[in-house]
């Protein structure tokens, strides 16, 4: 019987988790997955420690590690000495530098792409300014397919093969269909993203998945937070809209139809501004990027020009805030108050261990966080805020694309040897050609 590995840090990404044993093949696949996840989450360790933490026999661990090494997914690490008499053991650690996962984010103002190797290290990344809302969806898919194709070619030249691509998109995603059902901030309705990309990339395309951007951001944030033993969190992303991802007991909360996390459209101000969804006073009209820009700058101000790179515009706003510009500081104060209101409601309902503020909120963290925390603490019903703290993301705008890359790589963790073999076969058949 396997031990409870929560203390060792083993986790999944909120999907099905490791394959469940039903026959010898699935048992072997499950055990390989267990070992690989342990090394990912708990770090390098000798075979004897892996056996102790998984509850598997030492001989079984020896065979499993040998298979993972042969597939290039793990490697020998440092020699570990504990001062005891006897032969020192070599640690085993994640390798997998020859495979990667690609995450691509569709945003109102840009396309972002990140490729991560199995160790979670960035292989390549780039971001392209793009007025997505003002572009035809077909043109956006053209740009995305071109970015993926160019990345595949560059990776192939470095001997790195993508196992899959995950696209992060705003709005409502029809689970399992690859379709953006409704994304008002970019003006999309019933756009078949995965089918469109497969057609554009051709028969050599790697597997492509689609998920909501905030949910993927929550996955990326959880992979950071779990190291601090935080397994219940709410991720709030500040973009043109506001989205949320909910991690409960280490699992991504999807809801019965996959729509959990549409927190930006909580109607918190009945006398407020119209929202793109057709309602009035949604939370994102109070704290979204559009609210900040409208409050801080006039309509002809360059910081409100969508053709200017978003990072450049936010840098300019940050400069103004640091210089004491009254309109900018007043706008940030209103954003902080709106954040405190919505985050307190989320804490009352979900009682997370942490609420992580991401997206543009991170650019103005020191102008926001103290006011948000004070308003949050004053509103939460539970004593001491129910043990919840409000923190700033360390990932910023990269969270959604990183989460997509992590989810793409989860195919390896679900079925280590099978995925490696299928990827090698696909390369021979034309991936990256």
């Amino acid at each position: 019987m396997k031990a409870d590995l929560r203390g060792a840090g083993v986790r999944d990404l909120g999907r099905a988790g490791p394959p469940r044993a039903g026959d010898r093949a699935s048992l072997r696949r499950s055990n390989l997955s267990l070992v690989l996840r342990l090394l990912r989450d708990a770090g390098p360790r000798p075979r004897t420690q892996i056996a102790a933490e998984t509850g598997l026999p030492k001989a079984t661990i020896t065979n499993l590690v040998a298979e993972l090494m042969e597939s290039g997914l793990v490697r020998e690490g440092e020699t570990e000495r504990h001062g005891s008499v006897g032969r020192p053991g070599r640690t085993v650690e994640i390798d997998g530098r020859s495979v990667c996962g690609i995450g691509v984010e569709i945003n109102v103002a840009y396309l972002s792409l990140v490729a991560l190797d199995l160790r979670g290290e960035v292989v390549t990344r780039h971001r392209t300014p793009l007025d997505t809302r003002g572009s035809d969806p077909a043109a956006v898919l053209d740009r995305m397919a071109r970015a993926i194709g160019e990345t595949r070619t560059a990776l192939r030249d470095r001997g790195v093969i993508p196992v899959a691509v995950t696209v992060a998109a705003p709005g409502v995603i029809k689970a399992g269909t690859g379709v953006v059902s409704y994304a008002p901030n970019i003006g999309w309705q019933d756009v078949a993203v995965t089918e469109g990309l497969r057609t554009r990339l051709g028969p050599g395309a790697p597997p492509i998945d689609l998920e909501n951007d905030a949910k993927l951001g929550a996955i990326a944030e959880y992979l950071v937070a779990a190291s601090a033993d935080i397994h219940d969190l709410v991720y709030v992303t500040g973009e043109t809209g506001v989205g949320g991802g909910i991690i409960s007991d280490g699992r991504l909360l999807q809801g019965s139809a996959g729509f959990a996390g549409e927190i930006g459209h909580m109607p918190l101000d009945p006398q407020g501004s119209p929202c793109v969804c057709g309602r009035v006073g949604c939370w994102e009209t109070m704290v979204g990027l559009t609210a900040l820009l409208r409050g801080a700058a006039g309509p002809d101000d360059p910081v409100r020009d969508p053709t200017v790179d978003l990072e450049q515009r936010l840098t300019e706003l940050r400069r103004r805030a640091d210089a004491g510009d009254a309109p900018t500081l007043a706008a940030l104060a209103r954003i902080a108050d709106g954040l405190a209101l919505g985050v307190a409601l989320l804490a009352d309902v979900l009682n997370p261990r942490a609420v992580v503020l991401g997206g543009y909120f991170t650019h103005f963290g020191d102008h926001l966080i103290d006011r948000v925390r004070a308003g949050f603490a004053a509103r939460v019903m539970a004593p001491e805020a129910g043990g919840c703290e409000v923190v700033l993301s360390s990932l910023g705008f990269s969270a959604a694309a990183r989460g997509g890359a992590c989810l793409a790589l989860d195919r390896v963790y679900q079925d280590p040897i099978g995925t490696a073999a299928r990827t090698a076969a696909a390369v021979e058949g034309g991936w990256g050609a």
Side-chain angles (χ1 to χ4, degrees), residues 108-126:
V108 173
Y110 60 81
L111 290 178
S112 177
L113 182 149
V114 174
L116 301 178
D117 67 17
L118 205 58
R119 299 164 67 90
E121 297 174 355
V122 175
V123 181
T124 186
R125 75 171 84 197
H126 66 263

Side-chain angles (χ1 to χ4, degrees), residues 123-170:
V123 181
T124 186
R125 75 171 84 197
H126 66 263
R127 185 164 53 85
T128 304
L130 178 64
D131 181 10
T132 306
R133 183 162 43 195
S135 303
D136 182 78
V140 176
L141 293 179
D142 287 343
R143 292 282 295 272
M144 193 182 310
R146 187 159 62 248
I148 294 170
E150 291 171 352
T151 299
R152 285 166 58 203
T153 299
L155 291 172
R156 179 197 60 195
D157 293 342
R158 296 165 58 180
V160 181
I161 304 300
V163 297
V165 176
T166 304
V167 178

Side-chain angles (χ1 to χ4, degrees), residues 49-127:
Q49 188 175 351
I50 296 172
E53 291 175 340
T54 61
L56 295 173
K58 293 180 182 179
T60 300
I61 292 299
T62 297
N63 291 333
L64 293 173
V65 169
E67 282 193 75
L68 292 170
M69 283 187 175
E70 187 176 352
S71 295
L73 301 178
V74 304
R75 65 185 180 186
E76 295 275 12
E78 299 294 327
T79 300
E80 185 165 280
R81 298 178 183 274
H82 294 291
S84 59
V85 177
R87 184 179 177 182
R90 294 289 296 275
T91 60
V92 180
E93 63 185 25
I94 293 287
D95 189 358
R97 289 168 293 179
S98 61
V99 298
C100 73
I102 295 177
V104 187
E105 180 191 3
I106 310 167
N107 188 275
V108 173
Y110 60 81
L111 290 178
S112 177
L113 182 149
V114 174
L116 301 178
D117 67 17
L118 205 58
R119 299 164 67 90
E121 297 174 355
V122 175
V123 181
T124 186
R125 75 171 84 197
H126 66 263
R127 185 164 53 85

Side-chain angles (χ1 to χ4, degrees), residues 3 18 48 80-81 151 171 179 181 208 240 264 278 283 310 351 355 389 416:
T48 52
E80 185 165 280
R81 298 178 183 274
T151 299
V179 173
S181 177
I208 302 171
T240 298
W283 194 27
L310 180 59
N351 187 217
V355 175
E389 59 180 324

Side-chain angles (χ1 to χ4, degrees), residues 4 11 29 48 67 75 107 129 133 135 137-138 150 156 178 192 194 206 208 237 257 282 285 297 304 313 339 391 429:
D4 178 0
R11 58 189 181 263
R29 188 165 59 248
T48 52
E67 282 193 75
R75 65 185 180 186
N107 188 275
R133 183 162 43 195
S135 303
E150 291 171 352
R156 179 197 60 195
T194 57
I208 302 171
T237 175
C282 290
T285 67
R304 292 179 59 176
R313 291 188 281 152
L339 277 172
V391 299

